[in-house]
Coordinates of all heavy atoms in Angstrom, one line a residue:
M1 N 38.6 -6.5 32.6 CA 37.5 -6.7 31.6 C 37.6 -5.5 30.6 O 37.8 -4.3 31.0 CB 36.2 -6.7 32.3 CG 35.0 -7.0 31.3 SD 33.6 -7.3 32.3 CE 32.4 -7.5 31.1
K2 N 37.5 -5.8 29.4 CA 37.6 -4.8 28.3 C 36.4 -3.9 28.3 O 35.3 -4.4 28.3 CB 37.8 -5.5 27.0 CG 38.0 -4.6 25.8 CD 38.1 -5.4 24.5 CE 38.0 -4.5 23.3 NZ 37.7 -5.2 22.1
K3 N 36.6 -2.6 28.1 CA 35.5 -1.7 28.0 C 34.9 -1.7 26.6 O 35.7 -1.9 25.7 CB 36.0 -0.2 28.3 CG 34.9 0.8 28.3 CD 35.5 2.2 28.7 CE 34.3 3.1 28.6 NZ 34.8 4.5 28.7
K4 N 33.6 -1.7 26.5 CA 32.9 -1.8 25.2 C 33.1 -0.5 24.5 O 33.0 0.6 25.1 CB 31.5 -2.1 25.4 CG 31.2 -3.5 25.9 CD 29.7 -3.7 25.9 CE 29.4 -5.1 26.5 NZ 28.0 -5.4 26.6
T5 N 33.2 -0.6 23.2 CA 33.3 0.6 22.3 C 31.9 1.2 22.1 O 30.9 0.5 22.4 CB 33.9 0.3 20.9 OG1 33.0 -0.6 20.3 CG2 35.2 -0.4 21.1
D6 N 31.8 2.4 21.6 CA 30.5 3.0 21.3 C 29.7 2.1 20.4 O 28.5 1.9 20.5 CB 30.7 4.4 20.8 CG 31.1 5.4 21.8 OD1 30.9 5.1 23.0 OD2 31.6 6.5 21.4
Y7 N 30.4 1.6 19.4 CA 29.8 0.8 18.4 C 29.2 -0.5 19.0 O 28.1 -0.8 18.8 CB 30.8 0.3 17.3 CG 30.2 -0.7 16.3 CD1 29.4 -0.3 15.3 CD2 30.6 -2.0 16.5 CE1 28.8 -1.3 14.5 CE2 30.0 -3.0 15.7 CZ 29.2 -2.6 14.6 OH 28.6 -3.6 13.8
E8 N 29.9 -1.1 19.9 CA 29.4 -2.3 20.6 C 28.3 -2.0 21.5 O 27.3 -2.8 21.5 CB 30.6 -2.9 21.4 CG 31.7 -3.6 20.6 CD 32.9 -4.0 21.4 OE1 33.2 -3.3 22.4 OE2 33.5 -5.0 21.0
N9 N 28.3 -0.9 22.2 CA 27.1 -0.5 23.0 C 25.9 -0.2 22.1 O 24.8 -0.6 22.5 CB 27.5 0.8 23.8 CG 28.4 0.5 24.9 OD1 28.3 -0.5 25.5 ND2 29.2 1.5 25.3
K10 N 26.1 0.5 21.0 CA 25.0 0.7 20.1 C 24.4 -0.6 19.5 O 23.2 -0.8 19.5 CB 25.4 1.6 19.0 CG 24.3 2.1 18.1 CD 24.7 3.1 17.0 CE 23.6 3.4 16.1 NZ 24.0 4.4 15.1
L11 N 25.3 -1.5 19.1 CA 24.9 -2.7 18.6 C 24.1 -3.5 19.6 O 23.0 -4.1 19.3 CB 26.1 -3.5 18.1 CG 25.8 -4.8 17.4 CD1 25.1 -4.6 16.1 CD2 27.2 -5.5 17.1
E12 N 24.6 -3.6 20.9 CA 23.9 -4.3 21.9 C 22.5 -3.7 22.2 O 21.5 -4.4 22.3 CB 24.7 -4.2 23.2 CG 24.2 -5.0 24.3 CD 25.0 -5.0 25.6 OE1 26.3 -5.0 25.4 OE2 24.5 -4.9 26.7
Y13 N 22.4 -2.3 22.2 CA 21.1 -1.7 22.4 C 20.2 -2.0 21.3 O 19.0 -2.3 21.5 CB 21.3 -0.1 22.5 CG 20.0 0.6 22.5 CD1 19.3 0.8 23.6 CD2 19.5 1.2 21.3 CE1 18.1 1.4 23.6 CE2 18.3 1.8 21.3 CZ 17.6 1.9 22.5 OH 16.4 2.6 22.4
N14 N 20.6 -1.9 20.0 CA 19.8 -2.2 18.9 C 19.3 -3.6 18.9 O 18.1 -3.9 18.7 CB 20.5 -1.9 17.6 CG 20.6 -0.5 17.3 OD1 19.9 0.4 17.8 ND2 21.6 -0.1 16.4
N15 N 20.2 -4.6 19.2 CA 19.7 -6.0 19.3 C 18.7 -6.2 20.4 O 17.7 -6.9 20.2 CB 21.0 -6.9 19.6 CG 21.8 -7.0 18.3 OD1 21.4 -6.8 17.2 ND2 23.1 -7.3 18.5
E16 N 18.9 -5.6 21.6 CA 18.0 -5.7 22.7 C 16.6 -5.1 22.3 O 15.6 -5.7 22.5 CB 18.5 -4.9 23.9 CG 17.7 -5.1 25.1 CD 17.8 -6.5 25.8 OE1 18.9 -7.1 25.5 OE2 16.9 -6.9 26.4
Y17 N 16.6 -3.9 21.7 CA 15.4 -3.3 21.2 C 14.7 -4.2 20.2 O 13.4 -4.3 20.3 CB 15.8 -1.9 20.5 CG 14.6 -1.2 20.0 CD1 13.8 -0.4 20.8 CD2 14.2 -1.4 18.7 CE1 12.7 0.3 20.3 CE2 13.0 -0.7 18.2 CZ 12.3 0.1 19.0 OH 11.2 0.7 18.5
N18 N 15.4 -4.7 19.2 CA 14.8 -5.6 18.3 C 14.2 -6.8 18.9 O 13.1 -7.3 18.5 CB 15.7 -6.0 17.2 CG 16.1 -4.8 16.2 OD1 15.3 -3.9 16.1 ND2 17.2 -4.8 15.6
R19 N 14.8 -7.4 19.9 CA 14.3 -8.6 20.6 C 13.0 -8.3 21.3 O 12.1 -9.1 21.3 CB 15.3 -9.2 21.6 CG 16.3 -10.1 20.9 CD 17.1 -10.9 22.0 NE 18.0 -10.0 22.7 CZ 19.2 -9.7 22.3 NH1 19.7 -10.1 21.1 NH2 20.0 -8.9 23.0
R20 N 12.9 -7.1 21.8 CA 11.7 -6.7 22.6 C 10.5 -6.3 21.7 O 9.4 -6.4 22.1 CB 12.0 -5.5 23.5 CG 12.7 -5.9 24.8 CD 12.7 -4.7 25.8 NE 13.0 -3.4 25.2 CZ 14.2 -2.8 25.0 NH1 15.3 -3.5 25.4 NH2 14.3 -1.6 24.5
N21 N 10.8 -5.8 20.5 CA 9.8 -5.1 19.7 C 9.5 -5.8 18.3 O 8.5 -5.3 17.7 CB 10.2 -3.6 19.4 CG 10.2 -2.9 20.7 OD1 9.2 -2.6 21.3 ND2 11.4 -2.5 21.2
Y22 N 10.2 -6.8 18.0 CA 9.9 -7.4 16.7 C 9.9 -8.9 16.7 O 10.4 -9.5 17.7 CB 11.0 -7.0 15.7 CG 11.0 -5.6 15.3 CD1 11.8 -4.6 15.9 CD2 10.2 -5.1 14.3 CE1 11.8 -3.3 15.6 CE2 10.1 -3.8 13.9 CZ 10.9 -2.9 14.6 OH 10.9 -1.6 14.2
Q23 N 9.2 -9.5 15.8 CA 9.2 -10.9 15.6 C 9.6 -11.3 14.2 O 9.2 -10.6 13.3 CB 7.7 -11.4 15.8 CG 7.5 -12.9 15.5 CD 8.1 -13.8 16.6 OE1 7.8 -13.6 17.7 NE2 8.9 -14.7 16.1
S24 N 10.6 -12.2 14.1 CA 11.1 -12.6 12.8 C 10.5 -13.9 12.3 O 10.2 -14.8 13.2 CB 12.6 -12.7 12.8 OG 13.2 -11.5 13.1
F25 N 10.3 -14.1 11.0 CA 9.9 -15.3 10.5 C 10.8 -15.6 9.3 O 11.2 -14.8 8.6 CB 8.5 -15.2 9.9 CG 7.5 -15.0 11.0 CD1 7.1 -13.7 11.3 CD2 6.8 -16.0 11.7 CE1 6.2 -13.4 12.4 CE2 5.9 -15.8 12.7 CZ 5.6 -14.5 13.0
S26 N 11.1 -16.9 9.2 CA 12.0 -17.3 8.1 C 11.2 -18.3 7.2 O 10.6 -19.2 7.7 CB 13.2 -18.0 8.7 OG 14.1 -18.5 7.7
V27 N 11.3 -18.1 5.9 CA 10.7 -19.0 5.0 C 11.7 -19.5 3.9 O 12.5 -18.7 3.5 CB 9.5 -18.3 4.3 CG1 8.8 -19.1 3.3 CG2 8.5 -17.7 5.3
R28 N 11.6 -20.7 3.6 CA 12.5 -21.2 2.5 C 11.7 -21.7 1.3 O 10.6 -22.3 1.5 CB 13.3 -22.5 3.0 CG 14.3 -22.1 4.1 CD 15.0 -23.4 4.5 NE 15.9 -23.1 5.6 CZ 17.0 -23.7 5.9 NH1 17.4 -24.7 5.1 NH2 17.8 -23.3 6.9
F29 N 12.2 -21.4 0.2 CA 11.6 -21.8 -1.1 C 12.6 -22.7 -1.8 O 13.8 -22.4 -1.9 CB 11.2 -20.6 -1.9 CG 10.2 -19.8 -1.3 CD1 10.4 -18.6 -0.6 CD2 8.8 -20.2 -1.4 CE1 9.4 -17.9 0.0 CE2 7.8 -19.5 -0.8 CZ 8.1 -18.3 -0.1
N30 N 12.1 -23.7 -2.4 CA 13.0 -24.6 -3.2 C 13.4 -24.0 -4.5 O 12.5 -23.5 -5.3 CB 12.3 -26.0 -3.5 CG 13.1 -27.0 -4.1 OD1 13.4 -26.8 -5.4 ND2 13.6 -27.9 -3.4
L31 N 14.7 -23.9 -4.8 CA 15.2 -23.3 -6.0 C 14.7 -23.9 -7.3 O 14.6 -23.3 -8.4 CB 16.7 -23.3 -6.0 CG 17.3 -22.4 -4.9 CD1 18.9 -22.6 -4.9 CD2 17.0 -20.9 -5.1
D32 N 14.3 -25.2 -7.3 CA 13.9 -25.9 -8.5 C 12.3 -25.8 -8.6 O 11.8 -25.4 -9.6 CB 14.3 -27.4 -8.5 CG 15.8 -27.5 -8.6 OD1 16.4 -26.7 -9.4 OD2 16.4 -28.4 -8.0
S33 N 11.6 -26.3 -7.6 CA 10.2 -26.4 -7.7 C 9.4 -25.1 -7.4 O 8.2 -25.1 -7.8 CB 9.7 -27.5 -6.8 OG 9.9 -27.2 -5.4
E34 N 10.1 -24.1 -6.9 CA 9.3 -22.9 -6.6 C 10.0 -21.7 -7.2 O 9.9 -20.6 -6.6 CB 9.3 -22.8 -5.0 CG 8.5 -23.9 -4.4 CD 8.6 -23.9 -2.9 OE1 9.7 -23.7 -2.3 OE2 7.5 -24.1 -2.2
K35 N 10.6 -21.9 -8.3 CA 11.3 -20.8 -9.0 C 10.4 -19.6 -9.3 O 10.7 -18.5 -9.2 CB 11.9 -21.3 -10.3 CG 13.2 -22.0 -10.2 CD 13.7 -22.4 -11.6 CE 14.8 -23.3 -11.5 NZ 15.2 -23.9 -12.8
D36 N 9.2 -20.0 -9.7 CA 8.2 -18.9 -10.1 C 7.8 -18.1 -8.8 O 7.7 -16.8 -9.0 CB 6.9 -19.5 -10.7 CG 6.2 -20.6 -9.8 OD1 6.9 -21.2 -8.9 OD2 5.0 -20.8 -9.9
V37 N 7.7 -18.7 -7.7 CA 7.4 -17.9 -6.5 C 8.6 -17.0 -6.1 O 8.4 -15.9 -5.7 CB 7.0 -18.9 -5.3 CG1 6.8 -18.1 -4.0 CG2 5.8 -19.7 -5.6
I38 N 9.8 -17.6 -6.2 CA 11.0 -16.8 -5.8 C 11.1 -15.6 -6.7 O 11.3 -14.5 -6.3 CB 12.2 -17.7 -6.0 CG1 12.2 -18.8 -4.9 CG2 13.5 -16.8 -5.8 CD1 13.2 -19.9 -5.1
K39 N 10.9 -15.8 -8.0 CA 11.0 -14.7 -9.0 C 10.0 -13.7 -8.7 O 10.2 -12.5 -8.8 CB 10.9 -15.3 -10.4 CG 11.2 -14.3 -11.5 CD 11.2 -15.0 -12.9 CE 11.5 -13.9 -13.9 NZ 11.6 -14.5 -15.3
Y40 N 8.7 -14.1 -8.5 CA 7.7 -13.2 -8.2 C 7.9 -12.3 -6.9 O 7.8 -11.1 -7.0 CB 6.3 -13.9 -8.1 CG 5.2 -13.0 -8.0 CD1 4.7 -12.3 -9.1 CD2 4.5 -12.7 -6.8 CE1 3.6 -11.5 -9.1 CE2 3.5 -11.8 -6.7 CZ 3.0 -11.2 -7.9 OH 2.0 -10.3 -7.8
L41 N 8.4 -13.0 -5.9 CA 8.7 -12.2 -4.7 C 9.8 -11.3 -4.9 O 9.7 -10.1 -4.4 CB 9.0 -13.2 -3.5 CG 7.9 -13.9 -2.8 CD1 8.4 -14.9 -1.8 CD2 7.0 -12.8 -2.1
Q42 N 10.8 -11.7 -5.6 CA 11.9 -10.8 -5.9 C 11.5 -9.6 -6.7 O 12.2 -8.5 -6.7 CB 13.1 -11.6 -6.5 CG 13.7 -12.5 -5.6 CD 14.8 -13.4 -6.3 OE1 14.7 -13.6 -7.5 NE2 15.8 -13.9 -5.6
S43 N 10.5 -9.7 -7.5 CA 10.0 -8.6 -8.3 C 9.2 -7.6 -7.5 O 8.9 -6.5 -8.1 CB 9.2 -9.1 -9.5 OG 7.9 -9.5 -9.0
Q44 N 8.8 -7.9 -6.3 CA 8.1 -6.9 -5.5 C 9.0 -5.8 -5.0 O 10.1 -6.1 -4.7 CB 7.4 -7.7 -4.3 CG 6.5 -8.8 -4.7 CD 5.4 -8.3 -5.6 OE1 4.7 -7.4 -5.3 NE2 5.2 -9.0 -6.7
E45 N 8.4 -4.6 -4.9 CA 9.2 -3.5 -4.4 C 9.6 -3.8 -3.0 O 10.7 -3.4 -2.6 CB 8.3 -2.2 -4.5 CG 9.1 -1.0 -4.3 CD 8.3 0.3 -4.6 OE1 7.6 0.3 -5.6 OE2 8.4 1.2 -3.8
S46 N 8.7 -4.3 -2.2 CA 9.0 -4.7 -0.8 C 8.3 -6.0 -0.4 O 7.1 -6.0 -0.4 CB 8.5 -3.6 0.1 OG 8.5 -4.0 1.5
I47 N 9.1 -7.0 -0.2 CA 8.5 -8.3 0.2 C 7.7 -8.2 1.5 O 6.6 -8.7 1.5 CB 9.6 -9.4 0.2 CG1 10.2 -9.6 -1.1 CG2 9.0 -10.7 0.8 CD1 11.4 -10.5 -1.1
K48 N 8.2 -7.5 2.4 CA 7.5 -7.4 3.7 C 6.1 -6.7 3.5 O 5.1 -7.2 4.0 CB 8.3 -6.6 4.7 CG 7.6 -6.4 6.1 CD 8.2 -5.3 6.9 CE 7.5 -5.2 8.2 NZ 6.2 -4.6 8.2
T49 N 6.1 -5.6 2.8 CA 4.8 -4.9 2.5 C 3.9 -5.8 1.7 O 2.7 -5.8 2.0 CB 5.1 -3.6 1.8 OG1 6.0 -2.8 2.6 CG2 3.8 -2.8 1.5
Y50 N 4.4 -6.5 0.8 CA 3.6 -7.4 -0.1 C 2.9 -8.5 0.8 O 1.7 -8.7 0.8 CB 4.4 -8.0 -1.2 CG 3.7 -9.1 -2.0 CD1 2.6 -8.7 -2.8 CD2 3.9 -10.4 -1.8 CE1 1.9 -9.6 -3.5 CE2 3.2 -11.3 -2.6 CZ 2.2 -11.0 -3.4 OH 1.5 -11.9 -4.1
L51 N 3.7 -9.1 1.7 CA 3.2 -10.2 2.5 C 2.2 -9.6 3.5 O 1.2 -10.2 3.8 CB 4.4 -10.9 3.2 CG 5.3 -11.7 2.3 CD1 6.4 -12.3 3.1 CD2 4.5 -12.9 1.6
E52 N 2.6 -8.5 4.1 CA 1.7 -7.9 5.1 C 0.3 -7.5 4.5 O -0.7 -7.8 5.1 CB 2.3 -6.6 5.7 CG 1.5 -6.0 6.8 CD 2.1 -4.7 7.4 OE1 3.2 -4.4 6.9 OE2 1.5 -4.1 8.2
T53 N 0.3 -7.0 3.3 CA -0.9 -6.7 2.6 C -1.7 -7.9 2.3 O -2.9 -7.9 2.5 CB -0.6 -5.9 1.2 OG1 0.1 -4.8 1.5 CG2 -1.9 -5.6 0.5
L54 N -1.1 -9.0 1.9 CA -1.8 -10.3 1.6 C -2.4 -10.8 2.9 O -3.6 -11.2 2.9 CB -0.8 -11.3 1.1 CG -0.4 -11.3 -0.4 CD1 0.6 -12.4 -0.7 CD2 -1.6 -11.5 -1.3
I55 N -1.7 -10.8 4.0 CA -2.2 -11.3 5.2 C -3.4 -10.4 5.8 O -4.4 -11.0 6.2 CB -1.0 -11.3 6.3 CG1 0.0 -12.4 5.9 CG2 -1.6 -11.6 7.7 CD1 1.3 -12.4 6.6
R56 N -3.2 -9.1 5.7 CA -4.3 -8.2 6.2 C -5.6 -8.4 5.4 O -6.7 -8.4 5.9 CB -3.8 -6.8 6.2 CG -2.8 -6.5 7.3 CD -2.6 -5.0 7.5 NE -1.5 -4.8 8.4 CZ -1.6 -4.9 9.8 NH1 -2.8 -5.2 10.3 NH2 -0.6 -4.7 10.5
T57 N -5.4 -8.5 4.0 CA -6.5 -8.8 3.2 C -7.2 -10.1 3.5 O -8.5 -10.2 3.6 CB -6.1 -8.8 1.7 OG1 -5.4 -7.6 1.4 CG2 -7.2 -9.0 0.7
D58 N -6.4 -11.1 3.7 CA -7.0 -12.4 4.1 C -7.7 -12.3 5.5 O -8.8 -12.9 5.7 CB -5.9 -13.5 4.2 CG -6.4 -14.9 4.3 OD1 -7.3 -15.2 3.6 OD2 -5.9 -15.6 5.1
M59 N -7.1 -11.6 6.4 CA -7.7 -11.5 7.8 C -9.1 -10.8 7.6 O -10.1 -11.2 8.3 CB -6.8 -10.6 8.7 CG -5.6 -11.4 9.1 SD -4.3 -10.4 9.9 CE -5.2 -9.6 11.3
K60 N -9.2 -9.7 6.8 CA -10.4 -9.0 6.6 C -11.5 -9.9 6.0 O -12.6 -9.9 6.4 CB -10.2 -7.7 5.7 CG -9.6 -6.6 6.4 CD -9.3 -5.5 5.5 CE -8.5 -4.4 6.1 NZ -8.2 -3.3 5.2
K61 N -11.1 -10.7 5.0 CA -12.0 -11.6 4.3 C -12.5 -12.6 5.2 O -13.7 -12.9 5.2 CB -11.2 -12.2 3.1 CG -12.1 -13.1 2.2 CD -11.5 -13.4 0.9 CE -10.2 -14.3 1.1 NZ -9.7 -14.8 -0.2
K62 N -11.7 -13.2 6.1 CA -12.1 -14.2 7.0 C -13.0 -13.6 8.1 O -13.9 -14.3 8.6 CB -10.9 -14.9 7.6 CG -10.3 -15.8 6.6 CD -9.2 -16.6 7.2 CE -8.6 -17.5 6.1 NZ -7.5 -18.4 6.5
K63 N -12.7 -12.4 8.5 CA -13.5 -11.7 9.5 C -15.0 -11.5 8.9 O -15.9 -11.7 9.6 CB -12.9 -10.4 9.9 CG -13.5 -9.7 11.1 CD -12.8 -8.5 11.5 CE -13.4 -7.8 12.7 NZ -12.7 -6.7 13.2
K64 N -15.0 -11.0 7.7 CA -16.4 -10.8 7.0 C -17.1 -12.1 6.9 O -18.3 -12.2 7.1 CB -16.2 -10.2 5.6 CG -15.9 -8.7 5.7 CD -15.7 -8.2 4.2 CE -15.3 -6.8 4.2 NZ -15.2 -6.2 2.8
K65 N -16.4 -13.2 6.5 CA -17.0 -14.5 6.3 C -17.5 -15.0 7.6 O -18.6 -15.5 7.7 CB -15.9 -15.5 5.8 CG -16.5 -16.8 5.3 CD -15.4 -17.6 4.6 CE -16.0 -18.9 4.1 NZ -15.0 -19.7 3.4
K66 N -16.8 -14.8 8.7 CA -17.2 -15.2 10.0 C -18.4 -14.5 10.5 O -19.3 -15.0 11.0 CB -16.0 -15.0 11.0 CG -16.3 -15.6 12.4 CD -15.0 -15.5 13.3 CE -15.3 -16.1 14.6 NZ -14.1 -16.0 15.5
A67 N -18.4 -13.1 10.2 CA -19.6 -12.3 10.6 C -20.8 -12.7 9.8 O -21.9 -12.8 10.4 CB -19.2 -10.8 10.3
S68 N -20.7 -13.0 8.5 CA -21.8 -13.4 7.7 C -22.3 -14.8 8.1 O -23.5 -15.1 8.1 CB -21.5 -13.3 6.2 OG -20.6 -14.3 5.9
S69 N -21.4 -15.6 8.6 CA -21.7 -16.9 9.1 C -22.6 -16.8 10.3 O -23.6 -17.5 10.5 CB -20.5 -17.8 9.3 OG -20.8 -19.0 9.9
K70 N -22.1 -15.9 11.2 CA -22.9 -15.7 12.5 C -24.3 -15.2 12.2 O -25.2 -15.6 12.8 CB -22.1 -14.7 13.4 CG -21.0 -15.3 14.1 CD -20.3 -14.3 15.1 CE -19.2 -14.9 15.8 NZ -18.6 -13.9 16.8
S71 N -24.4 -14.2 11.3 CA -25.7 -13.6 11.0 C -26.6 -14.7 10.3 O -27.8 -14.7 10.6 CB -25.6 -12.4 10.1 OG -25.0 -12.7 8.8
A72 N -26.0 -15.6 9.5 CA -26.8 -16.6 8.9 C -27.3 -17.6 10.0 O -28.5 -18.0 9.9 CB -26.0 -17.4 7.9
K73 N -26.5 -17.9 11.0 CA -26.9 -18.8 12.1 C -28.1 -18.1 12.9 O -29.0 -18.7 13.3 CB -25.8 -19.1 13.0 CG -24.8 -20.1 12.4 CD -23.6 -20.3 13.3 CE -22.6 -21.2 12.7 NZ -21.4 -21.4 13.6
T74 N -27.9 -16.8 13.1 CA -29.0 -16.0 13.8 C -30.3 -16.1 13.1 O -31.4 -16.3 13.7 CB -28.5 -14.6 14.0 OG1 -27.3 -14.6 14.7 CG2 -29.5 -13.8 14.8
V75 N -30.2 -15.9 11.7 CA -31.5 -16.0 10.9 C -32.1 -17.4 11.0 O -33.3 -17.5 11.1 CB -31.2 -15.6 9.5 CG1 -32.3 -15.9 8.5 CG2 -30.8 -14.1 9.4
K76 N -31.2 -18.4 10.9 CA -31.7 -19.8 11.0 C -32.4 -20.1 12.3 O -33.4 -20.7 12.4 CB -30.5 -20.7 10.7 CG -30.9 -22.2 10.6 CD -29.7 -23.0 10.3 CE -30.2 -24.5 10.1 NZ -29.0 -25.4 9.8
K77 N -31.8 -19.6 13.4 CA -32.4 -19.8 14.7 C -33.7 -19.1 14.8 O -34.7 -19.6 15.4 CB -31.4 -19.2 15.8 CG -30.3 -20.1 16.1 CD -29.4 -19.5 17.3 CE -28.2 -20.4 17.5 NZ -27.4 -19.8 18.6
A78 N -33.8 -17.9 14.3 CA -35.0 -17.1 14.3 C -36.1 -17.8 13.5 O -37.3 -17.9 14.0 CB -34.8 -15.7 13.7
K79 N -35.8 -18.4 12.4 CA -36.8 -19.1 11.6 C -37.2 -20.4 12.3 O -38.4 -20.7 12.3 CB -36.2 -19.5 10.2 CG -36.1 -18.4 9.3 CD -35.5 -18.8 7.9 CE -35.4 -17.7 6.9 NZ -34.8 -18.1 5.7
T80 N -36.3 -21.1 13.0 CA -36.6 -22.2 13.7 C -37.6 -21.9 14.9 O -38.6 -22.6 15.1 CB -35.4 -22.9 14.3 OG1 -34.5 -23.2 13.2 CG2 -35.7 -24.2 15.0
A81 N -37.3 -20.8 15.5 CA -38.2 -20.4 16.7 C -39.6 -20.0 16.2 O -40.5 -20.3 16.8 CB -37.5 -19.1 17.3
V82 N -39.7 -19.4 15.0 CA -41.0 -19.0 14.4 C -41.7 -20.3 14.1 O -42.9 -20.4 14.4 CB -40.8 -18.1 13.2 CG1 -42.1 -18.0 12.5 CG2 -40.3 -16.8 13.6
R83 N -41.1 -21.3 13.5 CA -41.7 -22.6 13.2 C -42.2 -23.3 14.4 O -43.3 -23.9 14.4 CB -40.8 -23.4 12.4 CG -40.6 -23.1 11.0 CD -39.9 -24.2 10.2 NE -39.1 -23.5 9.2 CZ -37.7 -23.6 9.1 NH1 -37.1 -24.4 9.9 NH2 -37.1 -22.9 8.2
K84 N -41.4 -23.2 15.5 CA -41.8 -23.9 16.7 C -43.1 -23.3 17.3 O -43.9 -24.0 17.9 CB -40.7 -23.9 17.7 CG -39.6 -24.9 17.4 CD -38.5 -24.8 18.4 CE -37.4 -25.8 18.1 NZ -36.3 -25.8 19.1
R85 N -43.3 -22.0 17.1 CA -44.4 -21.3 17.7 C -45.7 -21.7 17.0 O -46.8 -21.6 17.5 CB -44.2 -19.8 17.6 CG -43.3 -19.3 18.8 CD -43.4 -17.8 18.9 NE -42.0 -17.3 18.6 CZ -41.7 -16.2 18.0 NH1 -42.6 -15.4 17.6 NH2 -40.4 -15.9 17.9
K86 N -45.6 -22.1 15.7 CA -46.8 -22.3 14.9 C -47.4 -23.6 15.2 O -47.4 -24.5 15.8 CB -46.4 -22.4 13.4 CG -46.1 -21.0 12.8 CD -45.8 -21.2 11.4 CE -45.5 -19.8 10.8 NZ -45.2 -19.9 9.4

């Protein structure tokens, strides 16, 4: 059996590390109908940072919306309870 080179060992280690610590996503855009999106993404300094920022902003917005929805339900329940006592 052939002994692995230093390069092959390093490559194997890096691939193993990446499999354990990262998740990849692949997205395709149509060259005709989504030209504007492609051009816009390509104009970003970092597509990964741009997408991550969009996702985190959306997550925060939905978390706030969910929290305000819960507090609205609590207020509604309280009003209903007060009405029932009358």
Side-chain angles (χ1 to χ4, degrees):
M1 187 169 174
K2 181 184 168 194
K3 186 178 176 190
K4 291 183 183 179
T5 65
D6 287 342
Y7 172 77
E8 289 170 326
N9 285 329
K10 185 176 180 179
L11 186 62
E12 186 178 322
Y13 171 81
N14 284 341
N15 287 337
E16 186 73 26
Y17 178 86
N18 287 336
R19 275 192 288 279
R20 282 192 319 270
N21 294 290
Y22 290 96
Q23 173 72 51
S24 294
F25 296 90
S26 179
V27 179
R28 291 182 184 208
F29 294 98
N30 184 285
L31 293 172
D32 293 323
S33 63
E34 298 170 316
K35 281 181 189 175
D36 57 335
V37 175
I38 294 168
K39 189 174 181 178
Y40 188 76
L41 279 175
Q42 289 174 334
S43 75
Q44 301 304 308
E45 191 171 317
S46 166
I47 294 173
K48 180 196 181 289
T49 301
Y50 175 71
L51 292 174
E52 184 180 359
T53 301
L54 281 177
I55 292 166
R56 290 189 186 282
T57 301
D58 191 46
M59 288 167 60
K60 286 178 187 175
K61 187 167 61 171
K62 288 184 178 180
K63 190 174 182 178
K64 284 182 183 178
K65 191 174 184 179
K66 189 175 181 181
S68 68
S69 175
K70 282 184 179 180
S71 63
K73 287 178 184 177
T74 303
V75 169
K76 187 175 180 179
K77 284 181 182 179
K79 286 181 179 179
T80 303
V82 169
R83 281 191 217 122
K84 286 182 179 178
R85 281 190 241 147
K86 288 181 179 181

